[in-house]
Amino acid sequence: MRLDKLLGQAGYGSRNQVKKLIRSRQVYVDGILAEQDNLNVDASLQTITVSGKELEHAPEVYYLMNKPSGVVSARKDKEHQTVIDLIKPEDQREGLYPVGRLDRDTEGLVLITNNGPLGFAMLHPRYHVAKTYYVEVNDVLGPDAPAFFESGVVFEDGTICQSAQLEVLSSASDKSCARITISEGKFHQVKKMFLAIGVKVMTLKRLSFGPFTLDPQLAPGESRP
Ligand code: URA
């Protein structure tokens, strides 16, 4: 996180006040004078002092939420309620953010934390963190569908998806149900993958994300540590 942002979050005032503080040579990172507001720092790995006082490291928190449809997975939104708005007032704190994005109409598991590096690692393509979704589509999912997803779906614009695992739970001409596991996070990926096979996603719910699974005890909108 940028040094000025971190200090702002730690209660050292507005962006301008924090800048003044840094310029007045009162901020040190691991004993070295910090001279730039935009210095990248990590309070969990570095010791930051302001006017000789060590910055307290905010404890990391983690919440699993069952996101309802209609809610945006962002910190703030001008129009819609966000997953952060749904966190209980006593659990609210600076720096909370949802790890990755679900579409507004997608339901299910969202991980919310103030641990920046964890979110980065869980979303980084290099780590191929698996995500499983329950899907309802508006048409038949034929016997070839699992192999189609396994071989790497190609979108109309030429984007190639990594292999995905599809388990068809039921199939009929007006509604089919399936579970799909992907290990990347392209924009609207699951919906586009099903469009590539000629069906439209009607319901999408995330069941798991890496080691975390949706807690069946959580009603839509609820979260737990
Ligand atoms: N894929 C989608 O199309 N939408 C989501 O919300 C998540 C994955």
Side-chain angles (χ1 to χ4, degrees), residues 10 43-44 61 72 78 85 101 113 118 135 157 176 183 207-208:
S44 65
V61 292
V72 177
K78 288 201 181 105
D85 297 331
R101 295 218 163 192
T113 181
L118 177 88
V135 191
D157 65 0
S176 300
S183 47
L207 303 175
S208 70

Side-chain angles (χ1 to χ4, degrees), residues 21-67:
L21 200 63
I22 296 170
R23 298 225 173 98
S24 65
R25 306 170 71 82
Q26 293 186 62
V27 183
Y28 284 76
V29 178
D30 280 343
I32 298 168
L33 180 69
E35 292 183 279
Q36 287 167 316
D37 324 326
N38 65 354
L39 187 69
N40 260 315
V41 291
D42 185 339
S44 65
L45 303 174
Q46 294 171 302
T47 304
I48 297 160
T49 56
V50 180
S51 312
K53 191 166 169 268
E54 201 171 305
L55 203 72
E56 280 190 24
H57 173 43
E60 274 126 18
V61 292
Y62 305 88
Y63 297 102
L64 296 178
M65 176 176 285
N66 183 2
K67 175 192 170 306

Side-chain angles (χ1 to χ4, degrees), residues 125-181:
R126 189 193 313 151
Y127 299 115
H128 304 288
V129 174
K131 295 159 216 156
T132 300
Y133 296 84
Y134 167 77
V135 191
E136 288 177 6
V137 298
N138 68 344
D139 210 331
V140 168
L141 285 172
D144 297 340
F148 179 80
F149 283 91
E150 187 78 46
S151 65
V153 173
V154 183
F155 294 158
E156 284 212 342
D157 65 0
T159 304
I160 303 171
C161 299
Q162 287 168 14
S163 176
Q165 290 67 53
L166 181 76
E167 187 190 349
V168 179
L169 304 171
S170 65
S171 183
S173 59
D174 58 343
K175 178 176 156 185
S176 300
C177 305
R179 258 193 299 264
I180 183 165
T181 301

Side-chain angles (χ1 to χ4, degrees), residues 64-66 109 207 212-219 222 224-225:
L64 296 178
M65 176 176 285
N66 183 2
L109 180 66
L207 303 175
F212 305 109
T213 50
L214 182 62
D215 184 340
Q217 309 284 348
L218 290 177
E222 283 184 353
R224 67 156 175 81

Side-chain angles (χ1 to χ4, degrees), residues 61-76 81-87 95-114 118-119 122-123 129-133 204-216 218-225:
V61 292
Y62 305 88
Y63 297 102
L64 296 178
M65 176 176 285
N66 183 2
K67 175 192 170 306
S69 175
V71 170
V72 177
S73 45
R75 290 182 197 222
K76 285 185 196 158
Q81 201 173 33
T82 72
V83 288
I84 302 300
D85 297 331
L86 293 179
I87 294 286
L96 275 187
Y97 72 98
V99 178
R101 295 218 163 192
L102 291 181
D103 296 337
R104 188 152 61 88
D105 60 354
T106 301
E107 305 162 31
L109 180 66
V110 176
L111 170 65
I112 294 169
T113 181
N114 57 352
L118 177 88
M122 290 198 66
L123 298 175
V129 174
K131 295 159 216 156
T132 300
Y133 296 84
L204 187 57
K205 182 173 184 174
R206 185 154 67 186
L207 303 175
S208 70
F209 181 20
F212 305 109
T213 50
L214 182 62
D215 184 340
L218 290 177
E222 283 184 353
S223 56
R224 67 156 175 81

Side-chain angles (χ1 to χ4, degrees), residues 101-103 105-106 133 182 186-192 204:
R101 295 218 163 192
L102 291 181
D103 296 337
D105 60 354
T106 301
Y133 296 84
I182 59 173
K186 301 188 195 305
F187 192 47
H188 299 317
Q189 177 156 352
V190 173
K191 290 175 184 167
K192 284 181 172 174
L204 187 57

